């Protein structure tokens, strides 16, 4: 059973517009959520995180929103740039960020068109 | 700054052959270390994690084993590879302390078992 789901395998967005990547989870014990970005032939790199005590965290062009009642989080990228084209993984942890046995989604391939 | 090295980048091995993938971390002490795998069409799956020398926890029963002979060295092994062992193997580290310390991944090894 998949505890972290990214239902959109791919997303295509025009440069300068907003990219919205979605993630749903089923485990109520998850209390810390992260987004990673992955380019081909490279390992994932950490992008942004959010604790379950917050509903929003912002870092530059990247904002993560958490809706605990819906068990849903989303990553907004504004404005989108061609260099943002990559696979984005949503991940969740149930130990407040102190024990990174993360559960990952399958990823969403974002393509930003010039 | 901390760096993580993982090698080789790609590997093609016949079924039944042994496997040894090595990962080393520089610039930090007492890290938590992890092996993840991404099989085709699937998300990242945690295989092993280690909180110290000689301390290995297995998350998924499988044909693989892990060892941590030194503080910053983590090795993934198999005595006899199966076709199902093909995938993208990622080593990662995190700081031991609690709080906002995300996983940092290496560039991965693409393993193809033929």
């Amino acid at each position: 059973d998949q505890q972290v789901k990214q239902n959109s395998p791919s997303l295509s967005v025009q440069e300068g517009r907003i990219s919205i990547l979605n993630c749903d989870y089923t485990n109520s014990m998850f209390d810390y959520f992260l987004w990673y970005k992955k380019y081909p032939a490279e390992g994932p790199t950490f992008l942004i995180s959010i604790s379950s005590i917050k509903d929003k965290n912002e870092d530059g062009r990247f904002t993560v929103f958490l809706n605990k009642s819906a068990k849903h989080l989303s990553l907004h990228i504004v404005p989108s740039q061609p260099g943002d084209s990559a696979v984005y993984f949503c991940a969740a942890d149930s130990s407040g960020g102190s024990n990174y046995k993360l559960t990952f989604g399958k990823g969403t391939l974002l393509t930003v068109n010039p | 700054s901390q760096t993580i090295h993982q090698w080789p980048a790609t590997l093609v091995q016949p079924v039944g052959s042994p496997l040894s993938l090595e990962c080393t971390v520089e610039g930090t002490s007492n890290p938590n270390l992890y092996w993840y795998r991404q099989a085709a069409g699937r998300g990242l799956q945690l295989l092993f994690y280690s909180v110290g020398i000689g301390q290995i926890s297995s998350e998924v029963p499988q044909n693989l084993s892990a060892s941590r002979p030194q503080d910053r060295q983590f090795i993934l092994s198999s005595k006899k590879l199966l076709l199902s062992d093909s995938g993208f193997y990622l080593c990662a580290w995190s700081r031991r302390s609690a709080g906002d310390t995300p996983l940092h991944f290496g560039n991965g090894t693409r393993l193809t078992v033929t």
Side-chain angles (χ1 to χ4, degrees):
Chain A
D1 180 36
Q2 253 194 300
Q3 298 186 62
V4 177
K5 299 178 183 179
Q6 293 177 257
N7 292 320
S8 298
S10 63
L11 175 68
S12 185
V13 171
Q14 208 63 29
E15 180 179 6
R17 305 293 293 270
I18 184 171
S19 294
I20 299 177
L21 299 123
N22 293 305
C23 177
D24 298 293
Y25 62 95
T26 58
N27 189 341
S28 300
M29 299 303 292
F30 289 143
D31 55 8
Y32 194 73
F33 304 88
L34 306 91
W35 285 94
Y36 281 81
K37 179 170 74 173
K38 182 183 179 302
Y39 294 117
E42 293 184 8
T45 54
F46 170 72
L47 197 55
I48 193 169
S49 62
I50 187 167
S51 165
S52 60
I53 62 174
K54 298 183 178 180
D55 54 20
K56 177 183 174 181
N57 188 26
E58 191 172 353
D59 183 2
R61 296 185 297 113
F62 302 91
T63 303
V64 56
F65 295 92
L66 175 63
N67 182 335
K68 283 187 293 182
S69 60
K71 293 190 177 67
H72 176 84
L73 64 155
S74 60
L75 174 68
H76 292 210
I77 306 174
V78 183
S80 301
Q81 300 173 353
D84 296 329
S85 297
V87 176
Y88 288 78
F89 289 99
C90 171
D93 177 43
S94 56
S95 60
S98 63
N99 183 6
Y100 280 84
K101 296 193 291 179
L102 299 180
T103 302
F104 283 84
K106 291 185 178 181
T108 297
L109 173 62
L110 172 66
T111 303
V112 180
N113 301 303
Chain B
S1 64
Q2 301 86 9
T3 56
I4 179 168
H5 302 279
Q6 191 179 342
W7 65 93
T10 59
L11 191 59
V12 180
Q13 293 282 103
V15 168
S17 64
L19 173 74
S20 181
L21 301 180
E22 189 164 343
C23 170
T24 58
V25 180
E26 296 178 358
T28 188
S29 297
N30 303 314
N32 288 341
L33 296 173
Y34 309 80
W35 279 109
Y36 278 83
R37 175 174 65 195
Q38 184 180 21
R42 306 190 68 174
L44 294 168
Q45 180 185 37
L46 177 64
L47 302 177
F48 301 95
Y49 74 96
S50 170
V51 298
I53 296 174
Q55 300 179 62
I56 309 295
S57 295
S58 174
E59 293 294 301
V60 181
Q62 61 214 312
N63 184 42
L64 303 167
S65 62
S67 61
R68 185 170 177 175
Q70 300 180 40
D71 180 49
R72 289 170 289 174
Q73 183 184 30
F74 206 23
I75 298 171
L76 183 70
S77 304
S78 173
K79 292 182 179 178
K80 289 185 178 182
L81 284 169
L82 306 172
L83 285 175
S84 58
D85 292 324
S86 294
F88 190 52
Y89 288 82
L90 289 156
C91 181
W93 74 273
S94 69
R95 288 192 178 86
R96 190 75 58 82
S97 59
D100 191 5
T101 57
L103 281 180
H104 303 275
F105 287 90
N107 281 335
T109 295
R110 173 72 60 190
L111 171 66
T112 302
V113 182
T114 59

